[in-house]
Amino acid sequence: MLVALALTLWAIYCTYDGLGPFLIYAQRPLIAGSVAGLIIGHPLLGLLIGATLELAALGVYTYGGATIPDYQTGAIVGTALAAGAVGDAAAQAAIGIGVGLPAAILLSALDPVGKMVTTALVHRADGYAADGNARGLAMIHWVSLVPWVAVRAVPTFLAALAASGGLIKDITASIPAGFVQGMTLAGSLLPAVGFALLLGMMELSRYWYLLLIGFVGFAYLHLPVLGIALVGVAVAMLFVTLKRDEPVLTVPSAAAEESTAESRAASKADPRLTKQDLRRVFRRYFWSSQISWNYERMQALGFAYSMEPVLRRLYPEKADYVAGLQRHLQFFNTSVLVGGPLILGSSVALEEAGTPKSAASTKVALMGPLAGIGDTVVFALYNSIVFTMGASWALQGNWLGPAFAAVMVLVPYALVRRWQFGFAYREGKRLAGHLAAGALARVAQGATVLGFVVLGGFIPSIVKVVTTLTYRQATTVQGQPVTQSVAIQDRLDELLPFLLPVLVTAGVYLLTVKARLRPVWVIGVVVVAGVVLGWLGWFAPSAPAKS
């Protein structure tokens, strides 16, 4: 019971961390599964399951609030149930993946339930805003977290209770060895799904040749994962230095034209906001930016909750205060890590300058472009690189993997958000001009280049598959005819090292981009193919040891 409660609390924190502070991004399966393994006393099992599901989930994020497989809960549930299975760590991990993947897909059906409940709650927040009731607004904001965590905590608790009995051991004892071999192969093929999804979101037709740099670095120069990443950084810096022709961001003329002499004079007057006010605004956004996300207005309630201390200070008249709350309760959605803090800081500066219309129009103008840049740079590229490196180490049983990923989230995410907020507040209306200079666009371009180079090395190093098939070849040895058994994999390696991982990834890419199959169906195809081919013994994650 205590273990079940601990896993449930961990599932709750994982959900909250991905909606609020992003301290270690515990919502990712690598972190969720690794810590779950520690909780149940099987750390290696948690590492293997979390890392495998992490690689399958690369490029899968809730862009715009889309419903995706619940890999977080799948990693926790799969780890908990696999711990009760018979067999060694590899066999248990195969069973855990076989449980975790279907669980992640099935539990995604509960995600809209939580979001719909939160959508109903936001209308109650409208009533509190109309009354100028800040406490009521805050209560709705934090209560909205409950349905988000409930749809994940309840299944986790039930699965953990089931794992505590002996039923799981009895069931897994009857599983054929061939199925376990097949699931092991399927687990090694699943990273191809994540890589294919990433390539589908990136400009492959424009930057495809950059994949070759990473591939050559790993396949021929035998560079480690970190070495490939460093090569990618160098190539990205060179690329951005030589090319500066990316599109820029602009804001509507209405927002720029409002910068009159009167508003400029107001902004230079003694500030009415204190450092404590600014810290309070940033803390609210940092710790709870998306916990009240809903289908109707998405991040609006979190933004209004963050702005409330400023509005209370700037507008002593209730009517103006209410108008400010209602103004910031309108639809809002952008990247919470790169974009949201910029818009928040700019909105605070513009409200303080006495130009609330500019605050509203700047929000509308910037949230779309910054969402595209922020999601691409942070989620599709930076996160994918960091968590792929972490998962590759975790698959080797190395705790450096999840620790590295957690640190690379904790420090940069906190510093970048804090800097954005302070910069935007200081610059106020001039923020649009800085964005128009193309700085963020160049960052996005550099991150894209880095992503392609790193993916070129990650694909052959992480998608593990070889063929065990052989053929008979007649030859002559010392004048005597001899029939030899030749491994097909040896001939493939002579043609091109790691050819099969590349072909598998290319095939999955065609299924996702050309055939336009949904990721869930693609995962199903890969798992079924892995189980069948592994069960038959035709393919394996690695070549059998030669005697």
Side-chain angles (χ1 to χ4, degrees), residues 280-323:
R280 187 178 294 116
V281 169
F282 180 74
R283 282 199 303 266
R284 288 189 175 198
Y285 189 82
F286 182 91
W287 292 105
S288 66
S289 53
Q290 294 190 108
I291 63 172
S292 57
W293 193 99
N294 58 87
Y295 281 126
E296 184 174 319
R297 282 176 249 172
M298 298 193 176
Q299 299 170 2
L301 180 51
F303 195 92
Y305 171 72
S306 300
M307 287 290 296
E308 190 276 330
V310 165
L311 301 175
R312 187 183 341 124
R313 172 78 68 176
L314 295 177
Y315 302 114
E317 295 294 330
K318 183 176 180 180
D320 296 332
Y321 172 66
V322 168

mmCIF file of all heavy atoms in Angstrom, residues 280-323:
data_model
loop_
_atom_site.group_PDB
_atom_site.id
_atom_site.type_symbol
_atom_site.label_atom_id
_atom_site.label_comp_id
_atom_site.label_asym_id
_atom_site.label_seq_id
_atom_site.Cartn_x
_atom_site.Cartn_y
_atom_site.Cartn_z
ATOM 1 N N ARG A 280 6.450 38.755 -7.441
ATOM 2 C CA ARG A 280 5.207 38.019 -7.221
ATOM 3 C C ARG A 280 4.591 37.575 -8.546
ATOM 4 O O ARG A 280 4.105 36.454 -8.681
ATOM 5 C CB ARG A 280 4.227 38.887 -6.433
ATOM 6 C CG ARG A 280 2.959 38.142 -6.014
ATOM 7 C CD ARG A 280 2.042 39.018 -5.186
ATOM 8 N NE ARG A 280 2.669 39.359 -3.904
ATOM 9 C CZ ARG A 280 2.992 40.595 -3.537
ATOM 10 N NH1 ARG A 280 2.756 41.605 -4.345
ATOM 11 N NH2 ARG A 280 3.546 40.817 -2.353
ATOM 12 N N VAL A 281 4.620 38.459 -9.545
ATOM 13 C CA VAL A 281 4.083 38.118 -10.864
ATOM 14 C C VAL A 281 4.863 36.952 -11.473
ATOM 15 O O VAL A 281 4.276 35.979 -11.960
ATOM 16 C CB VAL A 281 4.144 39.343 -11.808
ATOM 17 C CG1 VAL A 281 3.855 38.932 -13.248
ATOM 18 C CG2 VAL A 281 3.150 40.398 -11.358
ATOM 19 N N PHE A 282 6.184 37.044 -11.436
ATOM 20 C CA PHE A 282 6.995 35.996 -12.056
ATOM 21 C C PHE A 282 6.838 34.671 -11.326
ATOM 22 O O PHE A 282 6.769 33.608 -11.954
ATOM 23 C CB PHE A 282 8.463 36.413 -12.091
ATOM 24 C CG PHE A 282 9.347 35.366 -12.714
ATOM 25 C CD1 PHE A 282 9.335 35.157 -14.078
ATOM 26 C CD2 PHE A 282 10.165 34.567 -11.920
ATOM 27 C CE1 PHE A 282 10.135 34.184 -14.660
ATOM 28 C CE2 PHE A 282 10.968 33.592 -12.494
ATOM 29 C CZ PHE A 282 10.954 33.399 -13.868
ATOM 30 N N ARG A 283 6.796 34.717 -9.986
ATOM 31 C CA ARG A 283 6.626 33.473 -9.229
ATOM 32 C C ARG A 283 5.321 32.787 -9.588
ATOM 33 O O ARG A 283 5.273 31.565 -9.725
ATOM 34 C CB ARG A 283 6.676 33.757 -7.724
ATOM 35 C CG ARG A 283 8.070 33.969 -7.165
ATOM 36 C CD ARG A 283 8.075 33.783 -5.657
ATOM 37 N NE ARG A 283 7.135 34.680 -4.983
ATOM 38 C CZ ARG A 283 7.462 35.866 -4.487
ATOM 39 N NH1 ARG A 283 8.705 36.315 -4.602
ATOM 40 N NH2 ARG A 283 6.559 36.614 -3.876
ATOM 41 N N ARG A 284 4.266 33.547 -9.711
ATOM 42 C CA ARG A 284 2.976 32.941 -10.070
ATOM 43 C C ARG A 284 3.049 32.261 -11.431
ATOM 44 O O ARG A 284 2.544 31.143 -11.619
ATOM 45 C CB ARG A 284 1.877 34.009 -10.063
ATOM 46 C CG ARG A 284 1.481 34.492 -8.677
ATOM 47 C CD ARG A 284 0.248 35.375 -8.753
ATOM 48 N NE ARG A 284 -0.218 35.753 -7.416
ATOM 49 C CZ ARG A 284 -1.432 36.210 -7.163
ATOM 50 N NH1 ARG A 284 -2.312 36.357 -8.152
ATOM 51 N NH2 ARG A 284 -1.781 36.530 -5.937
ATOM 52 N N TYR A 285 3.668 32.946 -12.380
ATOM 53 C CA TYR A 285 3.763 32.365 -13.712
ATOM 54 C C TYR A 285 4.680 31.141 -13.702
ATOM 55 O O TYR A 285 4.389 30.115 -14.321
ATOM 56 C CB TYR A 285 4.292 33.404 -14.703
ATOM 57 C CG TYR A 285 4.222 32.958 -16.141
ATOM 58 C CD1 TYR A 285 3.035 33.065 -16.859
ATOM 59 C CD2 TYR A 285 5.334 32.411 -16.784
ATOM 60 C CE1 TYR A 285 2.957 32.640 -18.179
ATOM 61 C CE2 TYR A 285 5.266 31.986 -18.091
ATOM 62 C CZ TYR A 285 4.075 32.105 -18.787
ATOM 63 O OH TYR A 285 3.998 31.672 -20.087
ATOM 64 N N PHE A 286 5.795 31.245 -12.997
ATOM 65 C CA PHE A 286 6.779 30.167 -12.966
ATOM 66 C C PHE A 286 6.179 28.890 -12.385
ATOM 67 O O PHE A 286 6.364 27.798 -12.923
ATOM 68 C CB PHE A 286 7.993 30.607 -12.139
ATOM 69 C CG PHE A 286 9.100 29.587 -12.086
ATOM 70 C CD1 PHE A 286 10.118 29.609 -13.027
ATOM 71 C CD2 PHE A 286 9.130 28.614 -11.094
ATOM 72 C CE1 PHE A 286 11.150 28.671 -12.981
ATOM 73 C CE2 PHE A 286 10.154 27.670 -11.047
ATOM 74 C CZ PHE A 286 11.162 27.700 -11.993
ATOM 75 N N TRP A 287 5.468 28.994 -11.283
ATOM 76 C CA TRP A 287 4.987 27.821 -10.557
ATOM 77 C C TRP A 287 3.650 27.279 -11.048
ATOM 78 O O TRP A 287 3.287 26.155 -10.702
ATOM 79 C CB TRP A 287 4.891 28.116 -9.059
ATOM 80 C CG TRP A 287 6.224 28.321 -8.413
ATOM 81 C CD1 TRP A 287 6.783 29.500 -8.021
ATOM 82 C CD2 TRP A 287 7.189 27.303 -8.111
ATOM 83 N NE1 TRP A 287 8.038 29.290 -7.487
ATOM 84 C CE2 TRP A 287 8.319 27.942 -7.525
ATOM 85 C CE3 TRP A 287 7.220 25.921 -8.263
ATOM 86 C CZ2 TRP A 287 9.440 27.246 -7.105
ATOM 87 C CZ3 TRP A 287 8.353 25.227 -7.845
ATOM 88 C CH2 TRP A 287 9.443 25.886 -7.272
ATOM 89 N N SER A 288 2.913 28.055 -11.846
ATOM 90 C CA SER A 288 1.557 27.560 -12.157
ATOM 91 C C SER A 288 1.032 28.040 -13.504
ATOM 92 O O SER A 288 -0.179 28.175 -13.680
ATOM 93 C CB SER A 288 0.587 28.019 -11.060
ATOM 94 O OG SER A 288 0.447 29.437 -11.068
ATOM 95 N N SER A 289 1.899 28.253 -14.465
ATOM 96 C CA SER A 289 1.466 28.891 -15.709
ATOM 97 C C SER A 289 0.358 28.142 -16.436
ATOM 98 O O SER A 289 -0.533 28.755 -17.029
ATOM 99 C CB SER A 289 2.662 29.066 -16.649
ATOM 100 O OG SER A 289 3.324 27.826 -16.824
ATOM 101 N N GLN A 290 0.379 26.800 -16.413
ATOM 102 C CA GLN A 290 -0.575 26.044 -17.238
ATOM 103 C C GLN A 290 -1.478 25.109 -16.444
ATOM 104 O O GLN A 290 -2.169 24.292 -17.059
ATOM 105 C CB GLN A 290 0.188 25.203 -18.270
ATOM 106 C CG GLN A 290 0.930 26.000 -19.309
ATOM 107 C CD GLN A 290 1.458 25.125 -20.416
ATOM 108 O OE1 GLN A 290 0.952 25.150 -21.539
ATOM 109 N NE2 GLN A 290 2.465 24.333 -20.117
ATOM 110 N N ILE A 291 -1.508 25.221 -15.135
ATOM 111 C CA ILE A 291 -2.280 24.244 -14.363
ATOM 112 C C ILE A 291 -3.782 24.389 -14.599
ATOM 113 O O ILE A 291 -4.545 23.464 -14.304
ATOM 114 C CB ILE A 291 -1.979 24.347 -12.859
ATOM 115 C CG1 ILE A 291 -2.390 25.717 -12.303
ATOM 116 C CG2 ILE A 291 -0.515 24.070 -12.569
ATOM 117 C CD1 ILE A 291 -2.300 25.807 -10.793
ATOM 118 N N SER A 292 -4.228 25.529 -15.120
ATOM 119 C CA SER A 292 -5.655 25.717 -15.414
ATOM 120 C C SER A 292 -5.916 25.714 -16.914
ATOM 121 O O SER A 292 -6.931 26.254 -17.370
ATOM 122 C CB SER A 292 -6.154 27.029 -14.801
ATOM 123 O OG SER A 292 -5.391 28.127 -15.279
ATOM 124 N N TRP A 293 -5.017 25.093 -17.693
ATOM 125 C CA TRP A 293 -5.199 25.044 -19.148
ATOM 126 C C TRP A 293 -6.547 24.399 -19.475
ATOM 127 O O TRP A 293 -6.931 23.388 -18.887
ATOM 128 C CB TRP A 293 -4.077 24.220 -19.771
ATOM 129 C CG TRP A 293 -3.969 24.358 -21.258
ATOM 130 C CD1 TRP A 293 -3.110 25.140 -21.952
ATOM 131 C CD2 TRP A 293 -4.767 23.677 -22.244
ATOM 132 N NE1 TRP A 293 -3.316 25.009 -23.307
ATOM 133 C CE2 TRP A 293 -4.333 24.114 -23.514
ATOM 134 C CE3 TRP A 293 -5.814 22.757 -22.180
ATOM 135 C CZ2 TRP A 293 -4.895 23.652 -24.690
ATOM 136 C CZ3 TRP A 293 -6.384 22.303 -23.356
ATOM 137 C CH2 TRP A 293 -5.922 22.742 -24.598
ATOM 138 N N ASN A 294 -7.254 24.984 -20.422
ATOM 139 C CA ASN A 294 -8.562 24.454 -20.802
ATOM 140 C C ASN A 294 -8.778 24.635 -22.299
ATOM 141 O O ASN A 294 -8.087 25.428 -22.955
ATOM 142 C CB ASN A 294 -9.675 25.147 -20.011
ATOM 143 C CG ASN A 294 -9.684 26.645 -20.209
ATOM 144 O OD1 ASN A 294 -10.279 27.168 -21.130
ATOM 145 N ND2 ASN A 294 -8.974 27.378 -19.332
ATOM 146 N N TYR A 295 -9.729 23.885 -22.838
ATOM 147 C CA TYR A 295 -9.966 23.896 -24.277
ATOM 148 C C TYR A 295 -10.412 25.265 -24.793
ATOM 149 O O TYR A 295 -10.107 25.625 -25.921
ATOM 150 C CB TYR A 295 -11.053 22.868 -24.634
ATOM 151 C CG TYR A 295 -10.555 21.450 -24.692
ATOM 152 C CD1 TYR A 295 -11.166 20.451 -23.942
ATOM 153 C CD2 TYR A 295 -9.489 21.089 -25.504
ATOM 154 C CE1 TYR A 295 -10.730 19.138 -23.996
ATOM 155 C CE2 TYR A 295 -9.041 19.782 -25.563
ATOM 156 C CZ TYR A 295 -9.666 18.813 -24.816
ATOM 157 O OH TYR A 295 -9.222 17.520 -24.868
ATOM 158 N N GLU A 296 -11.136 26.005 -23.968
ATOM 159 C CA GLU A 296 -11.756 27.236 -24.457
ATOM 160 C C GLU A 296 -10.773 28.396 -24.550
ATOM 161 O O GLU A 296 -10.678 29.068 -25.577
ATOM 162 C CB GLU A 296 -12.926 27.635 -23.550
ATOM 163 C CG GLU A 296 -13.688 28.859 -24.046
ATOM 164 C CD GLU A 296 -14.914 29.136 -23.199
ATOM 165 O OE1 GLU A 296 -15.609 28.172 -22.819
ATOM 166 O OE2 GLU A 296 -15.162 30.314 -22.917
ATOM 167 N N ARG A 297 -10.023 28.645 -23.464
ATOM 168 C CA ARG A 297 -9.123 29.806 -23.466
ATOM 169 C C ARG A 297 -7.682 29.438 -23.153
ATOM 170 O O ARG A 297 -6.826 30.288 -22.983
ATOM 171 C CB ARG A 297 -9.633 30.850 -22.468
ATOM 172 C CG ARG A 297 -10.798 31.652 -23.034
ATOM 173 C CD ARG A 297 -11.364 32.613 -22.022
ATOM 174 N NE ARG A 297 -12.688 32.213 -21.612
ATOM 175 C CZ ARG A 297 -13.350 32.786 -20.620
ATOM 176 N NH1 ARG A 297 -12.792 33.759 -19.927
ATOM 177 N NH2 ARG A 297 -14.561 32.384 -20.314
ATOM 178 N N MET A 298 -7.425 28.156 -23.063
ATOM 179 C CA MET A 298 -6.082 27.609 -22.917
ATOM 180 C C MET A 298 -5.344 28.221 -21.722
ATOM 181 O O MET A 298 -5.693 27.941 -20.585
ATOM 182 C CB MET A 298 -5.317 27.756 -24.238
ATOM 183 C CG MET A 298 -5.981 26.964 -25.364
ATOM 184 S SD MET A 298 -4.988 26.765 -26.846
ATOM 185 C CE MET A 298 -6.083 25.716 -27.817
ATOM 186 N N GLN A 299 -4.339 29.070 -21.920
ATOM 187 C CA GLN A 299 -3.509 29.563 -20.814
ATOM 188 C C GLN A 299 -4.028 30.869 -20.210
ATOM 189 O O GLN A 299 -3.355 31.468 -19.372
ATOM 190 C CB GLN A 299 -2.072 29.788 -21.295
ATOM 191 C CG GLN A 299 -1.377 28.556 -21.815
ATOM 192 C CD GLN A 299 -0.047 28.889 -22.490
ATOM 193 O OE1 GLN A 299 0.372 30.041 -22.540
ATOM 194 N NE2 GLN A 299 0.621 27.876 -23.014
ATOM 195 N N ALA A 300 -5.196 31.313 -20.609
ATOM 196 C CA ALA A 300 -5.661 32.650 -20.218
ATOM 197 C C ALA A 300 -5.794 32.810 -18.708
ATOM 198 O O ALA A 300 -5.388 33.838 -18.141
ATOM 199 C CB ALA A 300 -6.999 32.957 -20.897
ATOM 200 N N LEU A 301 -6.378 31.837 -18.024
ATOM 201 C CA LEU A 301 -6.585 31.966 -16.584
ATOM 202 C C LEU A 301 -5.249 32.041 -15.856
ATOM 203 O O LEU A 301 -5.085 32.831 -14.911
ATOM 204 C CB LEU A 301 -7.412 30.788 -16.069
ATOM 205 C CG LEU A 301 -7.726 30.780 -14.557
ATOM 206 C CD1 LEU A 301 -8.320 32.103 -14.104
ATOM 207 C CD2 LEU A 301 -8.656 29.618 -14.215
ATOM 208 N N GLY A 302 -4.277 31.247 -16.270
ATOM 209 C CA GLY A 302 -2.956 31.317 -15.662
ATOM 210 C C GLY A 302 -2.297 32.665 -15.889
ATOM 211 O O GLY A 302 -1.618 33.201 -15.002
ATOM 212 N N PHE A 303 -2.501 33.250 -17.070
ATOM 213 C CA PHE A 303 -1.920 34.562 -17.358
ATOM 214 C C PHE A 303 -2.587 35.638 -16.511
ATOM 215 O O PHE A 303 -1.910 36.511 -15.944
ATOM 216 C CB PHE A 303 -2.084 34.883 -18.846
ATOM 217 C CG PHE A 303 -1.219 36.011 -19.323
ATOM 218 C CD1 PHE A 303 0.045 35.756 -19.848
ATOM 219 C CD2 PHE A 303 -1.647 37.325 -19.241
ATOM 220 C CE1 PHE A 303 0.854 36.801 -20.286
ATOM 221 C CE2 PHE A 303 -0.845 38.372 -19.671
ATOM 222 C CZ PHE A 303 0.411 38.100 -20.197
ATOM 223 N N ALA A 304 -3.905 35.589 -16.400
ATOM 224 C CA ALA A 304 -4.622 36.572 -15.579
ATOM 225 C C ALA A 304 -4.232 36.445 -14.112
ATOM 226 O O ALA A 304 -4.070 37.461 -13.416
ATOM 227 C CB ALA A 304 -6.132 36.395 -15.758
ATOM 228 N N TYR A 305 -4.085 35.227 -13.631
ATOM 229 C CA TYR A 305 -3.667 35.008 -12.242
ATOM 230 C C TYR A 305 -2.283 35.599 -11.997
ATOM 231 O O TYR A 305 -2.018 36.186 -10.939
ATOM 232 C CB TYR A 305 -3.670 33.506 -11.959
ATOM 233 C CG TYR A 305 -3.062 33.109 -10.643
ATOM 234 C CD1 TYR A 305 -3.707 33.361 -9.427
ATOM 235 C CD2 TYR A 305 -1.823 32.472 -10.599
ATOM 236 C CE1 TYR A 305 -3.144 32.978 -8.217
ATOM 237 C CE2 TYR A 305 -1.254 32.082 -9.390
ATOM 238 C CZ TYR A 305 -1.917 32.347 -8.209
ATOM 239 O OH TYR A 305 -1.348 31.978 -7.016
ATOM 240 N N SER A 306 -1.403 35.466 -12.987
ATOM 241 C CA SER A 306 -0.058 36.020 -12.842
ATOM 242 C C SER A 306 -0.078 37.545 -12.851
ATOM 243 O O SER A 306 0.684 38.194 -12.117
ATOM 244 C CB SER A 306 0.837 35.510 -13.987
ATOM 245 O OG SER A 306 0.921 34.104 -13.976
ATOM 246 N N MET A 307 -0.934 38.137 -13.665
ATOM 247 C CA MET A 307 -0.998 39.598 -13.792
ATOM 248 C C MET A 307 -1.739 40.261 -12.637
ATOM 249 O O MET A 307 -1.613 41.476 -12.441
ATOM 250 C CB MET A 307 -1.698 39.963 -15.102
ATOM 251 C CG MET A 307 -0.885 39.715 -16.360
ATOM 252 S SD MET A 307 0.513 40.854 -16.528
ATOM 253 C CE MET A 307 -0.336 42.422 -16.705
ATOM 254 N N GLU A 308 -2.490 39.509 -11.856
ATOM 255 C CA GLU A 308 -3.378 40.100 -10.838
ATOM 256 C C GLU A 308 -2.660 41.009 -9.843
ATOM 257 O O GLU A 308 -3.175 42.105 -9.536
ATOM 258 C CB GLU A 308 -4.113 38.969 -10.104
ATOM 259 C CG GLU A 308 -5.236 39.436 -9.200
ATOM 260 C CD GLU A 308 -4.749 39.858 -7.822
ATOM 261 O OE1 GLU A 308 -3.729 39.284 -7.368
ATOM 262 O OE2 GLU A 308 -5.368 40.765 -7.214
ATOM 263 N N PRO A 309 -1.479 40.677 -9.311
ATOM 264 C CA PRO A 309 -0.816 41.598 -8.379
ATOM 265 C C PRO A 309 -0.514 42.959 -9.007
ATOM 266 O O PRO A 309 -0.621 43.995 -8.343
ATOM 267 C CB PRO A 309 0.473 40.857 -8.007
ATOM 268 C CG PRO A 309 0.179 39.425 -8.255
ATOM 269 C CD PRO A 309 -0.728 39.407 -9.436
ATOM 270 N N VAL A 310 -0.139 42.965 -10.274
ATOM 271 C CA VAL A 310 0.144 44.220 -10.971
ATOM 272 C C VAL A 310 -1.129 45.029 -11.154
ATOM 273 O O VAL A 310 -1.163 46.251 -10.927
ATOM 274 C CB VAL A 310 0.800 43.922 -12.338
ATOM 275 C CG1 VAL A 310 0.761 45.149 -13.234
ATOM 276 C CG2 VAL A 310 2.225 43.453 -12.140
ATOM 277 N N LEU A 311 -2.191 44.371 -11.567
ATOM 278 C CA LEU A 311 -3.462 45.074 -11.778
ATOM 279 C C LEU A 311 -3.990 45.656 -10.474
ATOM 280 O O LEU A 311 -4.535 46.770 -10.456
ATOM 281 C CB LEU A 311 -4.490 44.112 -12.387
ATOM 282 C CG LEU A 311 -4.095 43.474 -13.739
ATOM 283 C CD1 LEU A 311 -5.139 42.463 -14.174
ATOM 284 C CD2 LEU A 311 -3.931 44.555 -14.805
ATOM 285 N N ARG A 312 -3.827 44.900 -9.379
ATOM 286 C CA ARG A 312 -4.287 45.398 -8.087
ATOM 287 C C ARG A 312 -3.506 46.645 -7.680
ATOM 288 O O ARG A 312 -4.067 47.590 -7.133
ATOM 289 C CB ARG A 312 -4.130 44.302 -7.037
ATOM 290 C CG ARG A 312 -4.744 44.653 -5.690
ATOM 291 C CD ARG A 312 -4.530 43.604 -4.616
ATOM 292 N NE ARG A 312 -4.187 42.294 -5.135
ATOM 293 C CZ ARG A 312 -3.100 41.631 -4.778
ATOM 294 N NH1 ARG A 312 -2.232 42.181 -3.953
ATOM 295 N NH2 ARG A 312 -2.876 40.435 -5.258
ATOM 296 N N ARG A 313 -2.212 46.686 -7.962
ATOM 297 C CA ARG A 313 -1.385 47.828 -7.608
ATOM 298 C C ARG A 313 -1.664 49.036 -8.508
ATOM 299 O O ARG A 313 -1.731 50.167 -8.034
ATOM 300 C CB ARG A 313 0.089 47.434 -7.720
ATOM 301 C CG ARG A 313 1.074 48.578 -7.558
ATOM 302 C CD ARG A 313 1.273 48.965 -6.123
ATOM 303 N NE ARG A 313 1.970 47.903 -5.397
ATOM 304 C CZ ARG A 313 2.343 48.005 -4.122
ATOM 305 N NH1 ARG A 313 2.058 49.105 -3.440
ATOM 306 N NH2 ARG A 313 2.948 47.007 -3.514
ATOM 307 N N LEU A 314 -1.844 48.776 -9.794
ATOM 308 C CA LEU A 314 -1.976 49.881 -10.746
ATOM 309 C C LEU A 314 -3.374 50.479 -10.804
ATOM 310 O O LEU A 314 -3.532 51.647 -11.170
ATOM 311 C CB LEU A 314 -1.582 49.395 -12.149
ATOM 312 C CG LEU A 314 -0.126 48.971 -12.341
ATOM 313 C CD1 LEU A 314 0.089 48.454 -13.760
ATOM 314 C CD2 LEU A 314 0.820 50.138 -12.060
ATOM 315 N N TYR A 315 -4.392 49.698 -10.482
ATOM 316 C CA TYR A 315 -5.772 50.172 -10.646
ATOM 317 C C TYR A 315 -6.517 50.105 -9.316
ATOM 318 O O TYR A 315 -7.195 49.116 -9.017
ATOM 319 C CB TYR A 315 -6.503 49.331 -11.694
ATOM 320 C CG TYR A 315 -5.824 49.355 -13.047
ATOM 321 C CD1 TYR A 315 -5.246 48.199 -13.589
ATOM 322 C CD2 TYR A 315 -5.745 50.533 -13.784
ATOM 323 C CE1 TYR A 315 -4.617 48.212 -14.812
ATOM 324 C CE2 TYR A 315 -5.114 50.561 -15.024
ATOM 325 C CZ TYR A 315 -4.548 49.404 -15.524
ATOM 326 O OH TYR A 315 -3.928 49.431 -16.747
ATOM 327 N N PRO A 316 -6.396 51.153 -8.511
ATOM 328 C CA PRO A 316 -7.104 51.178 -7.222
ATOM 329 C C PRO A 316 -8.617 51.221 -7.368
ATOM 330 O O PRO A 316 -9.342 50.777 -6.474
ATOM 331 C CB PRO A 316 -6.558 52.432 -6.540
ATOM 332 C CG PRO A 316 -6.040 53.277 -7.659
ATOM 333 C CD PRO A 316 -5.558 52.350 -8.698
ATOM 334 N N GLU A 317 -9.094 51.776 -8.488
ATOM 335 C CA GLU A 317 -10.538 51.813 -8.733
ATOM 336 C C GLU A 317 -11.012 50.428 -9.155
ATOM 337 O O GLU A 317 -10.422 49.797 -10.048
ATOM 338 C CB GLU A 317 -10.863 52.823 -9.841
ATOM 339 C CG GLU A 317 -10.540 54.260 -9.483
ATOM 340 C CD GLU A 317 -11.417 54.772 -8.345
ATOM 341 O OE1 GLU A 317 -12.564 54.293 -8.223
ATOM 342 O OE2 GLU A 317 -10.953 55.638 -7.588
ATOM 343 N N LYS A 318 -12.079 49.951 -8.501
ATOM 344 C CA LYS A 318 -12.542 48.589 -8.745
ATOM 345 C C LYS A 318 -12.897 48.354 -10.205
ATOM 346 O O LYS A 318 -12.602 47.294 -10.767
ATOM 347 C CB LYS A 318 -13.742 48.267 -7.858
ATOM 348 C CG LYS A 318 -14.237 46.824 -8.022
ATOM 349 C CD LYS A 318 -15.366 46.488 -7.071
ATOM 350 C CE LYS A 318 -15.837 45.054 -7.261
ATOM 351 N NZ LYS A 318 -16.936 44.678 -6.347
ATOM 352 N N ALA A 319 -13.539 49.337 -10.836
ATOM 353 C CA ALA A 319 -13.956 49.170 -12.232
ATOM 354 C C ALA A 319 -12.755 48.946 -13.143
ATOM 355 O O ALA A 319 -12.781 48.092 -14.040
ATOM 356 C CB ALA A 319 -14.752 50.384 -12.694
ATOM 357 N N ASP A 320 -11.681 49.703 -12.913
ATOM 358 C CA ASP A 320 -10.476 49.531 -13.731
ATOM 359 C C ASP A 320 -9.805 48.192 -13.439
ATOM 360 O O ASP A 320 -9.286 47.532 -14.343
ATOM 361 C CB ASP A 320 -9.489 50.674 -13.453
ATOM 362 C CG ASP A 320 -10.048 52.023 -13.876
ATOM 363 O OD1 ASP A 320 -10.875 52.051 -14.799
ATOM 364 O OD2 ASP A 320 -9.650 53.040 -13.264
ATOM 365 N N TYR A 321 -9.802 47.801 -12.169
ATOM 366 C CA TYR A 321 -9.208 46.523 -11.764
ATOM 367 C C TYR A 321 -9.953 45.353 -12.408
ATOM 368 O O TYR A 321 -9.344 44.428 -12.961
ATOM 369 C CB TYR A 321 -9.238 46.425 -10.243
ATOM 370 C CG TYR A 321 -8.831 45.091 -9.673
ATOM 371 C CD1 TYR A 321 -7.535 44.610 -9.804
ATOM 372 C CD2 TYR A 321 -9.758 44.307 -8.967
ATOM 373 C CE1 TYR A 321 -7.165 43.389 -9.260
ATOM 374 C CE2 TYR A 321 -9.391 43.088 -8.419
ATOM 375 C CZ TYR A 321 -8.097 42.633 -8.569
ATOM 376 O OH TYR A 321 -7.743 41.424 -8.025
ATOM 377 N N VAL A 322 -11.285 45.412 -12.361
ATOM 378 C CA VAL A 322 -12.112 44.369 -12.970
ATOM 379 C C VAL A 322 -11.871 44.316 -14.470
ATOM 380 O O VAL A 322 -11.737 43.234 -15.067
ATOM 381 C CB VAL A 322 -13.600 44.609 -12.658
ATOM 382 C CG1 VAL A 322 -14.484 43.717 -13.534
ATOM 383 C CG2 VAL A 322 -13.883 44.347 -11.188
ATOM 384 N N ALA A 323 -11.794 45.483 -15.101
ATOM 385 C CA ALA A 323 -11.555 45.530 -16.546
ATOM 386 C C ALA A 323 -10.214 44.886 -16.896
ATOM 387 O O ALA A 323 -10.087 44.195 -17.912
ATOM 388 C CB ALA A 323 -11.593 46.973 -17.037
#
